[in-house]
Amino acid sequence: MTVPRLVVEFCGLPGAGKTLLAEQTCIALRERGVAAEIADRPISAAVPKVARVRRRAGLAGGRLVRHPADTFGALRSVARTRPSLRDGAALLLQWLAVEGLAAAPNDDSFRLLEEGVVQTAWSLVLRAGPDALVGLQELVAEGTVSRRLIVLVDVPVELAVDRLRARASLHSRTQLLSPAEQRAELEVGSRLMRVLLDASPAPVLTIRNDGTSAPETLGAQIAEGVLQAR
């Protein structure tokens, strides 16, 4: 079965289940005879920091060499957020790495991103505040890979808090907050996510992950949505 390649970018609150549903979607696509991979797994938070940063830098460097104009546009948008030097560098590096992963030619496999441009922008605006929103909206709108589908993993805030409290690993800054602070931050984060998604030219598939459906079922639903969007 041959289909045009599509980039599938997952986003959602911490605790929404993005990683699990990306895995289940990948399985479901392969079961339907479609080549699929989680392309950003080598640069995810689960990878040791030194290896992760080295791989991101390599991808970003390649993107810069091949698409300097796109890089300049992204840099301009990042500058408008007025981030700290650390946050600004991290955001630009992640944007370039994700775009490099999405656009890299190899085959017709579907590329799934656990943390794409929208999720990266969301993480920064949550830290930097609403003043950073305009620049981040621009960055989301400037995604250079046109064949992209965004999957919003929607979850009730209370359930996201419960899942974060039960999580053993510390991949999210939100986990360091108290339950009340987590709740308040995720309420704001839910609204900010919608604003960023409105800035994206890519279609958005919303999947409710409130515990009433098995991950395998949701993965199959996303896979069907992906195939319809191809």
Side-chain angles (χ1 to χ4, degrees):
M1 180 179 182
T2 302
V3 295
R5 189 175 69 194
L6 186 73
V7 176
V8 184
E9 178 179 329
F10 286 75
C11 66
L13 298 178
K18 300 181 292 296
T19 297
L20 178 59
L21 292 189
E23 292 172 350
Q24 292 299 324
T25 301
C26 195
I27 292 170
L29 286 170
R30 290 170 178 170
E31 288 175 344
R32 287 159 176 74
V34 178
E37 61 173 338
I38 300 178
D40 61 345
R41 185 63 58 81
I43 60 171
S44 72
V47 175
K49 184 176 181 179
V50 172
R52 182 172 72 245
V53 171
R54 184 185 300 117
R55 291 168 184 169
R56 284 180 180 172
L59 287 164
R63 188 70 185 169
L64 170 61
V65 170
R66 290 190 292 271
H67 301 278
D70 294 339
T71 302
F72 177 77
L75 179 60
R76 181 189 58 217
S77 296
V78 169
R80 290 196 64 182
T81 70
R82 299 181 181 177
S84 67
L85 181 60
R86 178 181 177 181
D87 282 347
L91 176 61
L92 183 61
L93 188 65
Q94 178 71 1
W95 189 90
L96 291 170
V98 167
E99 290 297 320
L101 282 170
N106 62 350
D107 53 32
D108 291 327
S109 65
F110 283 21
R111 296 192 171 195
L112 280 56
L113 302 174
E114 294 178 3
E115 181 173 343
V117 172
V118 172
Q119 191 70 30
T120 301
W122 179 86
S123 296
L124 181 56
V125 75
L126 204 61
R127 294 197 300 273
D131 289 345
L133 195 54
V134 173
L136 292 171
Q137 285 175 296
E138 290 180 354
L139 196 65
V140 168
E142 288 172 357
T144 57
V145 179
S146 59
R147 290 196 50 75
R148 191 190 305 265
L149 172 69
I150 297 176
V151 176
L152 170 62
V153 183
D154 190 27
V155 64
V157 167
E158 290 294 338
L159 182 54
V161 171
D162 290 343
R163 288 175 177 171
L164 286 176
R165 302 303 292 177
R167 183 185 288 177
S169 59
L170 291 175
H171 290 163
S172 170
R173 181 188 61 84
T174 309
Q175 290 175 265
L176 303 177
L177 305 176
S178 70
E181 290 171 326
Q182 287 179 347
R183 193 175 300 108
E185 180 167 281
L186 294 181
E187 289 284 1
V188 173
S190 183
R191 294 192 292 271
L192 290 173
M193 181 68 77
R194 296 288 179 177
V195 174
L196 289 172
L197 288 173
D198 286 343
S200 173
V204 178
L205 172 63
T206 300
I207 294 294
R208 184 76 165 176
N209 185 21
D210 58 6
T212 59
S213 298
E216 295 85 354
T217 301
L218 296 178
Q221 290 178 10
I222 297 171
E224 290 300 329
V226 167
L227 292 175
Q228 291 175 16
R230 70 185 188 272

